[in-house]
Amino acid sequence: MSARQMNEGRERMTRTRSNARQRWLAHTRLPIIALAGAAAIALAACGDRDASRPGTSAAVAAPIADGALVPKPARLQPAQGVFQLSAATPLLAADGDAETVARQFADFLQASGGPALDSAVGGPADGAIHFRIDPDFDAASAEAYTLDVGPDGVRVVAGDPAGLFYGAVTLWQLATARVGDAGTGTDIAIAAMRIEDAPRFGWRGFMLDSARHFQSVEEIKKLLDAMALHKLNVFHWHLTDDQGWRIEIKRYPKLTEVGACRVPAGDGGIDPATGAELRYCGFYTQAQIREVVAYAAERHITVMPELDIPGHATAAIAAYPELGTTARPLRPVGEWGVFENLFNTEEATMVFLENVLTEMVELFPGPYVHIGGDEAVKDQWQASARVQAHMRELGVADEMAMQGLMVERLEKFLAGHDKRLIGWDEILEAELPQTATVMSWRGIDGGIEAARKGHDVVMSPSSDLYLDYLQTDSPDEPPGRPATITVDEVYAFEPVPEALEAGQRGHILGLQANMWTEHTRFDARLEHNLFPRLAAVAETGWTPAADKDWDDFRRRLPVQLQRYRRLGIAYARTPFQVLATAEDARAAGTVTIELANPLDYEIRYSTDGSVPDADSPRYREPLRQPLPASVVAAAFADGRALAEPQTFAFDAASLLSRTDEQLVTCPDLGSLLLRLEDDGPVEGERAIFNVTIFYPCWQWNRADLDGIAALKVRLGRIPYYFQLAHDEPRRRFEPARSAHGELLVHGGGCDGALLASVPMPAEPDTDGFLELEAPLAANGRQDLCIRVSGDTRPTMWVLDRVELVAQEPPGDRR
């Protein structure tokens, strides 16, 4: 074949691939039209608005001077006098939308313990609360409002129902700023002031994963109420994943008949009465979806659904195997992590996705649809002859480009339905349509890159805004993901990176906190994870950056906790509790106790067993006490305890034991720390363990081995229910020398001398736990490293407690 013939052949192949690519992309049900209109850009209206903010906040010289407002308003000007709100206070509204907001205010107030108020259209303004929509209201944002409080009445004015609603939320906060827990009462004093307010960002979001664990419609509504009262306005609803398909699609009933049920790993998936599989099921009917969307809209919250493609697709493929890439039968998985099951690239699968989206866009009237795009491991595509042939037909260079082509086609399809596509930042790894929006979760670099390329961006980095991460080091934290993201760390996050050029900063639409629910079985745990960290997210999204102040936010936070209690929100107590650590000096018969509060509120304590109050000693330095010792402590703000006082008792025996929470991970070895729950019982509370899943290892630093004969170790066993795709080889195992491995104890760290090796049995005891004693012959203070050798998957041993066993005194030996 001549060179010319070879070139002509290449040209024909290129044209064929190009034509096939265009046919594949063009297969949409509706004509592709330009996305236009105010609705399409409504969420992008604010961007970084510091340059045009109304003003700066100011202090108010009145009881609860600024109402402890969260988020802090853009401008607050104090005035003279006080407005007295009571059950006799009339609510006046000028029209239908304003009357709706007035009634919402009355409902919020009554739900939080305030008086019942009646709303009316028109009437005298003196002594009343007046809600009004002014067509001539001059503001850059539809969410802007003004609020005037004076001795003769309150006036809330906005140009749009959304702004009026947020003004009502601010007034509700002013009316619920009373100190104490007795409720707001029937007579409420509100300091006179003028507030001119508008949000910094147009996207102030929260994502809830309903795929891993399912929440009832009532819990969703409760969360939407809480979002509204924090002035959050985007509810990102994660409805499809490997573990479950949670939205009814009438054209494909198996998505919920099959895909909405999984079998949990271990004992949690076994009926204790019959031994049969026990399925975990749940989905939202289309009627329930409409109910939730309407409920959110009444609170000026846009609900954005997510259909995850091409990965996180196991539940869908289990329902319709022809959507997958392998012939292996699948079920919705009962494990966590990253799975390699992908939608295939064939035309029928794209039609399926478009058909699903056709039903979804009818249910969700908001401008955006999220298509996922994250963690799509391409192993199956690489191994599939059909996928590879299809890629060659389309002229696609690699698997990431193939994913990009899927995204491009869905973007055109959604544009044809007047919707905008948004996806996780992996969609940047291929050519991306200009109108696509990027949600940056792997740090902020993806957001910076997207903005520089002209894409709108929502900042949602896992390092700062993932609320399934633990929020303190307390042993009272529920199960959660690795590391810790404290309230102050959430508050410190800045959505507009300094590295981003000024001309591109308007592409930052705002920020979003994400709540993944692998480890969140109960609503109370969910609310623990969200609050009060969601309040910190809300302030970053609303308040001008120059006016944010952590110490001021921390001052206002205790009043926000009172609002949570009145609304029945199970917020996290752990940031407001006291933590205690002890350094023993057994030979001297003393203990040195250090107290701390995660948010640095002042600590008051007693050593005589009494309950500390505002007049108790303030903790300022470690306490050295004779054994036995007892300390009762609580964190305080404005003379009030922020959580129940805690008692810490120490004696010679307690100083010889540590729980898994009190141990540390082995340096440079125990990566990816998780706080995991046992797999049983099916109902009720379960044991919780801190464990590093790549290399299970625990370390007791500076353990005093003088006079110690042995180490007693209590272990549990749980399923190793993680799939980590390409990270799986990072899991390390110490080689086993006996049938079931050994309990290994090293001194001087994990690379130090082997102090003990005890063979493991095949099974734990009937209660699921096992206690072993390892003789020790060592002295002095050493870092004890504790491991179990051998690859025990599909289960893993986890440490519950360790105890140093003292040598028997010579007179006690037999």
Side-chain angles (χ1 to χ4, degrees), residues 315-349:
I317 298 170
Y320 294 96
E322 64 271 20
L323 302 173
T325 308
T326 71
R328 179 166 52 92
L330 298 177
R331 305 173 71 182
V333 296
E335 299 178 321
W336 316 124
V338 179
F339 297 82
E340 62 181 18
N341 303 311
L342 304 187
F343 287 115
N344 64 45
T345 66
E346 295 171 9
E347 179 60 32
T349 298

Side-chain angles (χ1 to χ4, degrees), residues 242-460:
D242 296 298
Q243 291 80 11
W245 184 283
R246 305 298 180 202
I247 176 172
E248 177 189 27
I249 301 297
K250 293 185 181 298
R251 184 162 183 162
Y252 300 106
K254 290 183 180 179
L255 287 173
T256 48
E257 291 172 3
V258 175
C261 294
R262 61 175 168 84
V263 178
D267 291 344
I270 302 172
D271 187 325
T274 66
E277 284 188 345
L278 191 62
R279 301 197 304 168
Y280 180 95
C281 304
F283 70 92
Y284 304 99
T285 67
Q286 292 197 0
Q288 290 174 319
I289 294 283
R290 291 190 180 93
E291 180 183 353
V292 168
V293 169
Y295 192 87
E298 291 171 356
R299 288 147 184 79
H300 302 278
I301 296 170
T302 299
V303 183
M304 178 182 67
E306 181 178 351
L307 167 64
D308 212 338
I309 67 99
H312 292 287
T314 306
I317 298 170
Y320 294 96
E322 64 271 20
L323 302 173
T325 308
T326 71
R328 179 166 52 92
L330 298 177
R331 305 173 71 182
V333 296
E335 299 178 321
W336 316 124
V338 179
F339 297 82
E340 62 181 18
N341 303 311
L342 304 187
F343 287 115
N344 64 45
T345 66
E346 295 171 9
E347 179 60 32
T349 298
M350 294 306 302
V351 171
F352 163 86
L353 294 174
E354 290 168 351
N355 289 340
V356 169
L357 287 171
T358 297
E359 294 194 33
M360 291 180 74
V361 298
E362 293 298 320
L363 296 170
F364 298 94
Y368 286 90
V369 173
H370 204 295
I371 55 86
D374 62 311
E375 298 177 327
V377 179
K378 305 301 191 300
D379 294 8
Q380 289 185 354
W381 281 4
Q382 292 168 352
S384 170
R386 294 170 64 184
V387 171
Q388 293 299 312
H390 192 206
M391 287 171 55
R392 289 191 295 271
E393 178 188 1
L394 299 175
V396 176
D398 56 31
E399 287 75 24
M400 195 64 226
M402 184 68 243
Q403 177 174 330
L405 208 57
M406 295 176 74
V407 170
E408 183 180 350
R409 174 159 167 178
L410 294 182
E411 187 276 335
K412 292 179 182 295
F413 178 85
L414 289 171
H417 287 76
D418 236 6
K419 303 290 184 183
R420 293 190 65 170
L421 178 144
I422 184 171
W424 303 110
D425 56 56
E426 283 95 331
I427 65 176
L428 276 170
E429 296 174 19
E431 187 176 343
L432 189 62
Q434 196 61 47
T435 58
T437 300
V438 173
M439 188 167 280
S440 187
W441 75 276
R442 296 178 300 175
I444 62 173
D445 290 345
I448 294 173
E449 178 188 350
R452 285 173 174 167
K453 291 180 177 179
H455 298 285
D456 287 343
V457 174
V458 177
M459 286 295 191
S460 190

Side-chain angles (χ1 to χ4, degrees), residues 653-659 700 708 710-714 771-774 776 784 786 799 801-806:
S654 69
L655 293 174
L656 292 174
S657 68
R658 295 288 188 274
T659 65
W700 183 341
I708 297 302
L711 182 72
K712 188 180 295 184
V713 181
R714 177 178 163 88
E771 198 166 272
L772 295 176
E773 189 166 305
L776 297 180
L784 290 183
I786 305 163
L799 187 146
R801 187 178 65 247
V802 294
E803 178 185 345
L804 295 173
V805 180

Side-chain angles (χ1 to χ4, degrees), residues 434-514:
Q434 196 61 47
T435 58
T437 300
V438 173
M439 188 167 280
S440 187
W441 75 276
R442 296 178 300 175
I444 62 173
D445 290 345
I448 294 173
E449 178 188 350
R452 285 173 174 167
K453 291 180 177 179
H455 298 285
D456 287 343
V457 174
V458 177
M459 286 295 191
S460 190
S462 61
S463 55
D464 302 86
L465 298 179
Y466 270 34
L467 302 187
D468 50 323
Y469 280 52
L470 304 178
Q471 53 190 311
T472 73
D473 294 327
S474 170
D476 294 333
E477 289 291 342
R481 303 228 299 178
T484 302
I485 301 179
T486 61
V487 180
D488 53 314
E489 288 170 336
V490 174
Y491 190 85
F493 174 68
E494 169 50 46
V496 182
E498 289 186 6
L500 188 60
E501 296 77 10
Q504 304 300 330
R505 292 184 176 186
H507 283 299
I508 307 299
L509 304 184
L511 76 164
Q512 179 174 290
N514 296 333

Side-chain angles (χ1 to χ4, degrees), residues 484-546:
T484 302
I485 301 179
T486 61
V487 180
D488 53 314
E489 288 170 336
V490 174
Y491 190 85
F493 174 68
E494 169 50 46
V496 182
E498 289 186 6
L500 188 60
E501 296 77 10
Q504 304 300 330
R505 292 184 176 186
H507 283 299
I508 307 299
L509 304 184
L511 76 164
Q512 179 174 290
N514 296 333
M515 180 64 215
W516 305 101
T517 62
E518 288 95 331
H519 311 292
T520 311
R521 287 193 298 134
F522 308 132
D523 292 344
R525 285 183 180 172
L526 174 62
E527 294 174 18
H528 172 108
N529 284 346
L530 299 186
F531 305 102
R533 289 187 291 187
L534 211 54
V537 174
E539 185 142 316
T540 298
W542 187 278
T543 304

Side-chain angles (χ1 to χ4, degrees), residues 67-71 172-173 176 226 229-230 531-532 535 538 553 555-566 571:
L69 298 175
V70 178
W172 170 78
Q173 289 200 1
T176 54
L229 296 175
H230 287 82
F531 305 102
F553 178 82
R555 173 188 63 81
R556 289 175 277 128
L557 198 51
V559 175
Q560 190 74 352
L561 302 185
Q562 293 178 162
R563 297 183 182 114
Y564 294 156
R565 288 194 287 272
R566 291 168 187 160
Y571 68 90

